[in-house]
C-alpha cells in the first residue's frame, strides 16, 4: 500500500509468475532461471519465448545489487544486456547457464565501421578454428575480414613456490556480471572469486571499438586483491596476447609477430597474394589506484616494496600457445585493496594498395586514420591513451544516437522494447549501415533481430514478418501526397504501453524531430542535411523539399495541415496535454509559455532598440515573431476540455495533466487574452469594405495574394489600406497600396488598415464595455434591474462612490482622467532649469505588478508579461520618468537558482529596477547582481535554504507535482518560502489541498520539532513559512522597501513629482512612504493620528463606556475641579497667580496657541503643496471593492488629507493604456513609431526600404512624410 507499481521489485519462479508481474507493470522482475527472461522456442513466430522477467540470478542478489538493478531496468535504458551468472564452461568449478558464451558474445559484440570484436570476457579462452565466427574483424576496402585477436587479457596469481592460478580455476565465484551499454558502445565484465586458500580477488574489464578514430580499439583489465587468504600476498600477472589462429582465407602470417617488452608493444600482420595486409598493433600501460585516483606506473620500476615489470610471455606464468604472441605484466608485492589496471590500445590497419581508399564512415567520424598504411607511423610516436580514445568514442556515439535513436517511454513493456530497439540500432550503426531510409535490409546478428521482433510484437500486440526499428518511423510518417510541395500524414498511433515516441529523420533536405504522445504531435524542423547524409533520407524519391504535414485530431477526421518553419516547433494536440513544471524543464504548458516569453523579449528588443547607422534594421512585427505567438495561441485554444464541459460554458476552462495520477482544471484566460492582444498589437487590424472603392494616391503596386498584401501594408510607412479589382476567389491580384482609401470606381474591393497600437486600444475599449455591461457574480452573469453596470456619462472620480450606484464609467472617462492628472502634476519646461535637452515630467514611477500594471493570472509562473504591456510601460519609463521601480511581494529571481519577477518581465534590462520580497532585494543593472536592501542573519539563511530544499523534494513526490504549477507555486523569497496549496479558482479539491498542507507542516515539524524556529501562515491558497524571532515577525512592508530603495538607489523621492501605483492594501504603504519623503515623517504621522481619531467611534452621553474607562474619567474630573476651586490658578512652575495675573497668563497662552496653530497650518499647507507632487493610481475592481470596501476609502482619504492626486481605475488595462497615452503625448509619437526628432533614425529609413523592396513604384513624392499618417499622438496612424 502506498507503493507505485514501478517502484516494486518482484521475484518470479515460473513463466506464469514472470508474465503476471510484467502485466502488473512492476519495476523489476528477478527470476532464478534465464528461461523466465527468454529462451529458444521454435513454436513461436520469432523463435524465442519471452515470459517477462528482466534478469536471472541463481542466488539472491544483495540489497545494494537489487537497488542497482532496479535503477538499470527502470531508468538507464541504454544497458541492453545483463547477465548475473557465467555461461557454461567459463569457470571450471561453476556450473553455467544459457545463453551460451557465443550467444552472449554475439549480442554484446563491440563494433565500428572499421573494427570489431565479440563481447566475451577478456579472460575467457576457447579453442577456435578458421570456420568459427571471427573474434575480431576489421574493414579491408569493402570487405570485412578476420584480424589477429587483440581481446585476451588474462589475470594470474602466484604465491611463493606454488604454480600460477588462473581466474577460471578459482573454487568459488561469488559475484558475476556481464553487461552491455549500447549508449557508449562498451561491453563490461566483472567477477569476484575466491580460491581454496581464501584468496579473494575482484576483476573487471571493458572493451570498445572506437567510432571516432578509424581502426582504433581499446580494452583494459583491472585486478584488486581483496583478501590474501592463508598464503602470502600473491604476485599478479596480466597476460596480454595477440591470437593468430583465425587467419582469413587467402591470407597468411607475413612474418613473426613483433614483441617489444621495453615499450610494451606487440604487432602482427596478415598478408595475401595481392599484397593486401591487415596489421594489428597493441600498446600497453599500467595504472594503479590506491584510492586517490589513477596514477600511471612506470614500467620496470619500484614503488616501495611493489615492483612492476614487463616480460615476453614465459612458461613461468602458465601455458604458452604457439599461435599467439604475448606480454606478461607482473606486479610483485601488490597492496591489498589497490586496483591495478593494464590498458591496451589497439590500432588496426588495412592496406588494400589503393591510396584513395578510406574506411567507411571515415569522413563522418573525422579523418583519424588512413587505410593505405600511413597509420604505421604510430609505431615511432606515443599512442593515444585509453582515456582519450574512450572520451572521443563516447562523444561520437552521442552524436550518432542524436540521429539514430528512437526514444520510447512508458510502461515496462515499452522499456523492454526500448532496450531491444537500441540494441538493434547499435549493431546497425556500428557496422556502418545507413539508418533512417527504411529500405535496406539490416545487417545485424540473427539473435538481435529475434529479440527485437519478439518484444516489438509484444508491445503492439501484433506480428510483422519483416520487422526492424525503421518500422516505428515508417508506420507513423506516411506519404499522403507526393506532388510538390509534398504532404506527409502523421499517424500518432502510439501503443497503449507507450507514453512517448521520439525520433529524428531526414525529410526533404532537413532533419525533422518528431515527438508523438497519446495527446500531442510535435514537429521540429532542424538544420539542413549535409554530406553523406544527403543520400540517406526517408522517402528520398518522393520527398525532395521540406514537406507539409497532416495530423489527425480528435475534432476532425481530415486533420490539421501544418508546415513547420526551420527551428520553429509545431505542436498539434489531438488529446490530453501536460501541465509541465514551472521552469519549463518538463515541456507542456509551462514550456510553451516560456518560449512565448523569449519571443516577446525579442519583440521589445527590436521595438525599443536604438538602431545604429551600420546595423540592419529588424522589424518588431515580422512573421518570425508573430507566427510563434499565433501558434502558441492555437495550442492554448486546442487544450482539452474537462469532463462535462459544454458549448457555452467558460471558454477559458481546460484540463491538463499535472502528473501520472492527477489532472487539474485550469483557467487560461490570462494567457489566451494577453497573447491575442499581443498579436493585435503586432499585426494591426484590417477591415474589408464591400463595394466599389479606389481613388487616393498609390504608394506602390504589386501582384500579390491578399495575405501578402496585408503583410506588406502593415509594414509600409504611410499606408492605410489597399484596393484591388477582381474576384476575391482568385489567388493573386494587382494590389494598389494607398495613403487613403476613397469611394469610387467599379468592381473594386478595399481593405483599410489600422496600426497595432490603435487597434489594441479599440479592442481594450470594447472589452471594457463588454465586461461592465453586465454584473458578474461567482455563479455566472446576472442582469441588474436598476443599472446595466456601465455608464458613458459617469465621471471617473465617481467610480466606486455611493453616488455611482454600482455603475462603471466609460473607458474614455478613465483615460481622460489619468491623462489629466499626469499632465497637471508632471513637470513643465518652465519649471526646470534651462540648459537641459529633455526634462522628464516625473522623478519616480513606483508600482506593484500583478493586479496593478499586469492582469492577474491564476498561476504566477505563467504570468508572462505581454509585449504590448511592456511596450507601453517602457515608453512611459523612457519618456516620462527618471526612475522606474517595480516593488512586489513576489520573489525577485534574476539568479539561476531562483526564478521570479525578472523571468516573467520582458522589457529590456535597464528600463526598470526590479525589486522583490517587498523591496528587501533588488537587481542592480550596473553590476548585474541581486543585492539585498537589508541583511538576513546567516542562521536564518541556512534555515530557509534547507526548508526550500525539503519542500522541493516533497513536491517531486508522486501526486504533489501539481502544486508547483498552480497558483503561486513554490516561491523562494527573502527570508520566506511561499508554497501554494491551491489557486484562486479552486483548481485542487479541498481535501487534496489539506492533505498537501499537512505534508508541508510535517516537513516544518521535522526541522523544528520544538516550534521555536519556524512559523507557518495559511492564507487559504498559499502557505507562508518564515523564521520565528523573539520579537515576533519583522514588520517590513512595501513602504519600508520603498524607503530602503530610495536610500540605496538615490531615487530622490523627496524631490518629486512621483507616481505610485498599486491595487491592494499592501500597496498603500508605498504611497505613504512617498508622502513621508515629500511632506516629512512628522506631518505624515500627524495625518495618520488625525485619521485614527476620526475612525474612533464617539461615545454618546449616557452610554456606559465600561467600568475601567468610567472610573478613570470620574477621578480625573474630580482632581481638576478641586484644583480650580480650592487652589486657584498656578503657573507652569507651580506658583499661585492672582486673578489679574491669571488673565494675563491665559491671554499669553491663547496667543501662543494661536501662533502655534498658524505655524501648524502653514506647515500643513506647505506639506500639502509638496504632497500635490504625488500621483496615486490605484486599481480596484468591482469584485475587490465588494470584498474590501475600505480600501478605496483609505486611499482617497490619504490623498485628500495630503493633497496628493488620486485616480481609482477598474482594471490594469485602463491604467497601462493611460500611461501609454501620456507617454505618446510627451514623446510626440506612438511607441510603435520612429522618433520624429531624429531625422537620421535608421528605423524609419531601413523599415521603409525593407517594406518597399520588390515593389513597382507608381507615384513617387519626395515630400511625402516618412512616418505614418502624420497624425497627432494618440490618434489613428
Amino acid at each position: 500500500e502506498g507503493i507505485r507499481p514501478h517502484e516494486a521489485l518482484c521475484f518470479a519462479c515460473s513463466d506464469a509468475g514472470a508474465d503476471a508481474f510484467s502485466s502488473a507493470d512492476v519495476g523489476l522482475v528477478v527470476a532464478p532461471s534465464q528461461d523466465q527472461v527468454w529462451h529458444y522456442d521454435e513454436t513461436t513466430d520469432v523463435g524465442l519465448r519471452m515470459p517477462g522477467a528482466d534478469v536471472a540470478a541463481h542466488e539472491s542478489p544483495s540489497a545494494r545489487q537489487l537497488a542497482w538493478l532496479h535503477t538499470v531496468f527502470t531508468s538507464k535504458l541504454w544497458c541492453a544486456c545483463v547477465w548475473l551468472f557465467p555461461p557454461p564452461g567459463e569457470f571450471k568449478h561453476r556450473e553455467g547457464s544459457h545463453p551460451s558464451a557465443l550467444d552472449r558474445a554475439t549480442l554484446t559484440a563491440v563494433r565500428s565501421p572499421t573494427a570489431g570484436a565479440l563481447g566475451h570476457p577478456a579472460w575467457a579462452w576457447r579453442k577456435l578454428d578458421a570456420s568459427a565466427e571471427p573474434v575480431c574483424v576489421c574493414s579491408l576496402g569493402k570487405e570485412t575480414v578476420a584480424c589477429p585477436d587483440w581481446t585476451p587479457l588474462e589475470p594470474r596469481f602466484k604465491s611463493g613456490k606454488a604454480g600460477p592460478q588462473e581466474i577460471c580455476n578459482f573454487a568459488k565465484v561469488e559475484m558475476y556480471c556481464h553487461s552491455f551499454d549500447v549508449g557508449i558502445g562498451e561491453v563490461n565484465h566483472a567477477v569476484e572469486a575466491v580460491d581454496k586458500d581464501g584468496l579473494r580477488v575482484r576483476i573487471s574489464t571493458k572493451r570498445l571499438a572506437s567510432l571516432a578514430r578509424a581502426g582504433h580499439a581499446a580494452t583494459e583489465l583491472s585486478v584488486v586483491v581483496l583478501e590474501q587468504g592463508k598464503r602470502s600476498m600473491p604476485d599478479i600477472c596480466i597476460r596480454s596476447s595477440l591470437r593468430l589462429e583465425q587467419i582469413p582465407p587467402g591470407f597468411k602470417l607475413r612474418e613473426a609477430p613483433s614483441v617489444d617488452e621495453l615499450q610494451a608493444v606487440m604487432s602482427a600482420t596478415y598478408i595475401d597474394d595481392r599484397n593486401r595486409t591487415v596489421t594489428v598493433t597493441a600498446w600497453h600501460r599500467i595504472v594503479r589506484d590506491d584510492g586517490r585516483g589513477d596514477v600511471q606506473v612506470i614500467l620496470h620500476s619500484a614503488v616501495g616494496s611493489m615492483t612492476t615489470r614487463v616480460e615476453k610471455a614465459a612458461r613461468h606464468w602458465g601455458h604458452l600457445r604457439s599461435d599467439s604472441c604475448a606480454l606478461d605484466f607482473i606486479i610483485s608485492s601488490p597492496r591489498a585493496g589497490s586496483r591495478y589496471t593494464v590498458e591496451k590500445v589497439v590500432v588496426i590497419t588495412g592496406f588494400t594498395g589503393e591510396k584513395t581508399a578510406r574506411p567507411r564512415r571515415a569522413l563522418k567520424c573525422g579523418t583519424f586514420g588512413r587505410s593505405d598504411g600511413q597509420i604505421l607511423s604510430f609505431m615511432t610516436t606515443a599512442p593515444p591513451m585509453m582515456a582519450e580514445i574512450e572520451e572521443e568514442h563516447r562523444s561520437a556515439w552521442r552524436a550518432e544516437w542524436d540521429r539514430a535513436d528512437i526514444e520510447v517511454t512508458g510502461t515496462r513493456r515499452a522499456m523492454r522494447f526500448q532496450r531491444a530497439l537500441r540494441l538493434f540500432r547499435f549493431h546497425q550503426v556500428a557496422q556502418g549501415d545507413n539508418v533512417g531510409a527504411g529500405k535496406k535490409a539490416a545487417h545485424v546478428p540473427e539473435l538481435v533481430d529475434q529479440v527485437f521482433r519478439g518484444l516489438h510484437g509484444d508491445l503492439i500486440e501484433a506480428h510483422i514478418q519483416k520487422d526492424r526499428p525503421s518500422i516505428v518511423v515508417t508506420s507513423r510518417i506516411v506519404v499522403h501526397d507526393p506532388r510538390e510541395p509534398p504532404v506527409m500524414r502523421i499517424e500518432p498511433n502510439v501503443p497503449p504501453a507507450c507514453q512517448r515516441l521520439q525520433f529524428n529523420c531526414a525529410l526533404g533536405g532537413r532533419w525533422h524531430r518528431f515527438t508523438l504522445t497519446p495527446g500531442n504531435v510535435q514537429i521540429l524542423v532542424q538544420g539542413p542535411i549535409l554530406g553523406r547524409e544527403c543520400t540517406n533520407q526517408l522517402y528520398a524519391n518522393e520527398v525532395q523539399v521540406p514537406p507539409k504535414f497532416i495530423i489527425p485530431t480528435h475534432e476532425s477526421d481530415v486533420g490539421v495541415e501544418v508546415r513547420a518553419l526551420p527551428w520553429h516547433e509545431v505542436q498539434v494536440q489531438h488529446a490530453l496535454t501536460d501541465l509541465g513544471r514551472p521552469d519549463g524543464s518538463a515541456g507542456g504548458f509551462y514550456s510553451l509559455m516560456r518560449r512565448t516569453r523569449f519571443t516577446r523579449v525579442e519583440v521589445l528588443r527590436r521595438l525599443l532598440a536604438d538602431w545604429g547607422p551600420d546595423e540592419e534594421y529588424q522589424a518588431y512585427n515580422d512573421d518570425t515573431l508573430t507566427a510563434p505567438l499565433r501558434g502558441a495561441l492555437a495550442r492554448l485554444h486546442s487544450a482539452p476540455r474537462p469532463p462535462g464541459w459544454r458549448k457555452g460554458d467558460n471558454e477559458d476552462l481546460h484540463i491538463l495533466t499535472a502528473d501520472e495520477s492527477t489532472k487539474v482544471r485550469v483557467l487560461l484566460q490570462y494567457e489566451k487574452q494577453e497573447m491575442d492582444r499581443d498579436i493585435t498589437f503586432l499585426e494591426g487590424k484590417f477591415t474589408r469594405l464591400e463595394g466599389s472603392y479606389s481613388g487616393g494616391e498609390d504608394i506602390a503596386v504589386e501582384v500579390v495574394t491578399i495575405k501578402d498584401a496585408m503583410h506588406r501594408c502593415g509594414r509600409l510607412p504611410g499606408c492605410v489600406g489597399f484596393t484591388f479589382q477582381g474576384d476575391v476567389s482568385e489567388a493573386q491580384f494587382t494590389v494598389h497600396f494607398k495613403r487613403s482609401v476613397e469611394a469610387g470606381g467599379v468592381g473594386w474591393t478595399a481593405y483599410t488598415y489600422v496600426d497595432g497600437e490603435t487597434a489594441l486600444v479599440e479592442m481594450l475599449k470594447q472589452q471594457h464595455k463588454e465586461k461592465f455591461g453586465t454584473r458578474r457574480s461567482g455563479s455566472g452573469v446576472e442582469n441588474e434591474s436598476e443599472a446595466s453596470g456601465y455608464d458613458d456619462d459617469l465621471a471617473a472620480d465617481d467610480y466606486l462612490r455611493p453616488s455611482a450606484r454600482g455603475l462603471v464609467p466609460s473607458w474614455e472617462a478613465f483615460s481622460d482622467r489619468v491623462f489629466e492628472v499626469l499632465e497637471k502634476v508632471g513637470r513643465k519646461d518652465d519649471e526646470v532649469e534651462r540648459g537641459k535637452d529633455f526634462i522628464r515630467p516625473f522623478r519616480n514611477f513606483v508600482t506593484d505588478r500583478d493586479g496593478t500594471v499586469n492582469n492577474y493570472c491564476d498561476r504566477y509562473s505563467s504570468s508572462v508579461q505581454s509585449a504590448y504591456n511592456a511596450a507601453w510601460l517602457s515608453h512611459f519609463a523612457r519618456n516620462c520618468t527618471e526612475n522606474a521601480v517595480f516593488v512586489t511581494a513576489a520573489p525577485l529571481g534574476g539568479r539561476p537558482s531562483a526564478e521570479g519577477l525578472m523571468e516573467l518581465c520582458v522589457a529590456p534590462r535597464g528600463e526598470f529596477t526590479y525589486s522583490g520580497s517587498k523591496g528587501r532585494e533588488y537587481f542592480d543593472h550596473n553590476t548585474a547582481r541581486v543585492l539585498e536592501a537589508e541583511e538576513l542573519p546567516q542562521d536564518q539563511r541556512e534555515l530557509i535554504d534547507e526548508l526550500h530544499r525539503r519542500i522541493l523534494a516533497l513536491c517531486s513526490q508522486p501526486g504533489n507535482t501539481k502544486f508547483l504549477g498552480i497558483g503561486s507555486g513554490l516561491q523562494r523569497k527573502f527570508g520566506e518560502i511561499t508554497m501554494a496549496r491551491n489557486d484562486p479558482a479552486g483548481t485542487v479539491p479541498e481535501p487534496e489541498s489539506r492533505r498537501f498542507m499537512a505534508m508541508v507542516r510535517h516537513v516544518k515539524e521535522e526541522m523544528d520539532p520544538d516550534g521555536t524556529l519556524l512559523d507557518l501562515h495559511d492564507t487559504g491558497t498559499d502557505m507562508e513559512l518564515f523564521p520565528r524571532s523573539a520579537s515576533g515577525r519583522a514588520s517590513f512592508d512595501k513602504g519600508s522597501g520603498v524607503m530602503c530603495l530610495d536610500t540605496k538607489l538615490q531615487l530622490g523621492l523627496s524631490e518629486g513629482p512621483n507616481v505610485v501605483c498599486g491595487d491592494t492594501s499592501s500597496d498603500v504603504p508605498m504611497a505613504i512612504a512617498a508622502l513621508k519623503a515629500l511632506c516629512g515623517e512628522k506631518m505624515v504621522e500627524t495625518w495618520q493620528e488625525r485619521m485614527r481619531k476620526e475612525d474612533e467611534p464617539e461615545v454618546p452621553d449616557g452610554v456606559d463606556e465600561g467600568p475601567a474607562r468610567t472610573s478613570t474619567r470620574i477621578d480625573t474630573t474630580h482632581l481638576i475641579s478641586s484644583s480650580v476651586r480650592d487652589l486657584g490658578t498656578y503657573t507652569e512652575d507651580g506658583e499661585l497667580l492672582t486673578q489679574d495675573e491669571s488673565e494675563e497668563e491665559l491671554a499669553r497662552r491663547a496667543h501662543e496657541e494661536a501662533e502655534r496653530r498658524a505655524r501648524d497650518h502653514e506647515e500643513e499647507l506647505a506639506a500639502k503643496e509638496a504632497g500635490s507632487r504625488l500621483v496615486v493610481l490605484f486599481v480596484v475592481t468591482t469584485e475587490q471593492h465588494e470584498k474590501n470596501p475600505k480600501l478605496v476609502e483609505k486611499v482617497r482619504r490619504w490623498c485628500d488629507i495630503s493633497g496628493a492626486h488620486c485616480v481609482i481605475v477598474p482594471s490594469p488595462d485602463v491604467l497601462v493604456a493611460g500611461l501609454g497615452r501620456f507617454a505618446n503625448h510627451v514623446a510626440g509619437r506612438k511607441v510603435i513609431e520612429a522618433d520624429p526628432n531624429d531625422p537620421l533614425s535608421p528605423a524609419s529609413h531601413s523599415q521603409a526600404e525593407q517594406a518597399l523592396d520588390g515593389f513597382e513604384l507608381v507615384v513617387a513624392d519626395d515630400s511625402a512624410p516618412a512616418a505614418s499618417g502624420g497624425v497627432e499622438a494618440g490618434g489613428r496612424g
Side-chain angles (χ1 to χ4, degrees), residues 867-888:
Y868 79 88
N869 181 282
W872 276 339
L873 290 177
S874 299
H875 197 39
F876 182 80
R878 280 191 171 189
N879 295 282
C880 304
T881 68
E882 296 179 13
N883 304 298
V885 184
F886 276 97
V887 181
T888 72

Side-chain angles (χ1 to χ4, degrees), residues 369-520:
R370 298 178 59 181
S371 58
D372 57 1
Q374 296 293 329
I375 203 167
L376 290 177
S377 62
F378 277 75
M379 289 288 290
T380 58
T381 60
M385 294 187 295
M386 183 164 180
E388 180 182 355
I389 290 181
E390 189 173 17
E391 179 58 33
E392 292 175 350
H393 170 74
R394 293 186 176 193
S395 178
W397 267 113
R398 282 193 293 268
E400 281 298 330
W401 282 118
D402 284 342
R403 291 182 284 265
D405 189 29
I406 300 175
E407 185 178 348
V408 184
T409 58
T411 65
R412 65 173 284 104
R413 285 199 298 168
M415 291 188 288
R416 294 180 73 202
F417 173 68
Q418 173 75 94
R419 288 190 289 270
L421 185 149
R422 285 173 172 166
L423 179 64
F424 194 109
R425 271 286 201 238
F426 168 82
H427 285 281
Q428 281 185 289
V429 175
Q431 297 185 70
D433 289 348
N434 291 329
V435 299
K439 294 183 177 180
K440 296 182 179 180
H443 299 89
V444 300
E446 176 63 22
L447 183 56
V448 173
D449 180 66
Q450 288 177 296
V451 171
F452 172 79
R453 287 190 291 124
L455 291 176
H456 189 201
D458 178 62
L459 179 71
I460 64 176
E461 299 179 356
H463 172 65
I464 302 176
Q465 187 64 32
K466 295 182 179 180
D467 217 355
R468 57 184 184 272
S470 58
I471 197 68
V472 177
V473 178
T474 56
S475 64
R476 292 168 175 83
I477 311 297
V478 183
V479 177
H480 181 75
D481 186 353
R483 294 173 298 178
E484 193 169 328
V487 179
M488 312 295 294
R489 183 174 180 86
I490 298 179
E491 299 290 349
N493 53 332
V494 179
C498 293
Q499 296 175 356
R500 185 180 67 170
L501 292 175
Q502 187 175 79
F503 49 84
N504 292 325
C505 67
L507 276 174
R510 279 191 174 272
W511 282 102
H512 292 65
R513 187 183 70 189
F514 297 92
T515 304
L516 311 179
T517 70
N520 300 316

Side-chain angles (χ1 to χ4, degrees), residues 993-1022:
S993 176
R994 292 187 178 277
R995 176 196 66 81
F996 181 68
M997 183 170 65
M999 299 182 73
V1000 174
R1001 286 187 182 275
H1002 180 68
V1003 170
K1004 169 187 170 294
E1005 291 166 0
E1006 283 184 339
M1007 294 184 60
D1008 181 23
D1010 298 331
T1012 58
L1013 300 178
L1014 290 170
D1015 204 349
L1016 187 150
H1017 174 65
D1018 178 31
T1019 66
T1021 57
D1022 296 333

Side-chain angles (χ1 to χ4, degrees), residues 18 153 158 287 434 488 710 815 833 1028 1080 1098:
L153 285 169
K158 189 174 185 300
V287 175
N434 291 329
M488 312 295 294
M710 290 180 177
S815 179
E833 58 180 301
R1028 185 191 295 269
E1098 295 183 1

Side-chain angles (χ1 to χ4, degrees), residues 36 38 67 84 111 132 170-171 178 249 304 366 392 424 469 505 531 773 816 945 952 956 983 1105 1161 1199 1248-1249:
Q36 280 82 53
W38 65 265
L84 299 181
R111 290 296 303 267
F170 272 46
H178 179 171
E392 292 175 350
F424 194 109
C505 67
D816 292 343
D945 289 344
L952 184 61
S956 300
D983 58 21
E1105 301 177 79
H1161 181 66
C1199 293
E1249 293 171 2

Side-chain angles (χ1 to χ4, degrees), residues 9 152 240 243 499 504 509 576 602 658 682 720 724 750 932 938 1020 1030 1035 1076 1086 1162 1208 1251 1268:
L9 187 153
S240 174
R243 294 176 61 185
Q499 296 175 356
N504 292 325
L576 296 177
E602 180 63 14
L682 296 177
V720 298
F724 59 89
E932 296 178 351
Q938 183 64 26
S1035 177
K1076 288 181 179 180
T1086 301
E1162 291 177 0
I1208 307 294
S1268 172

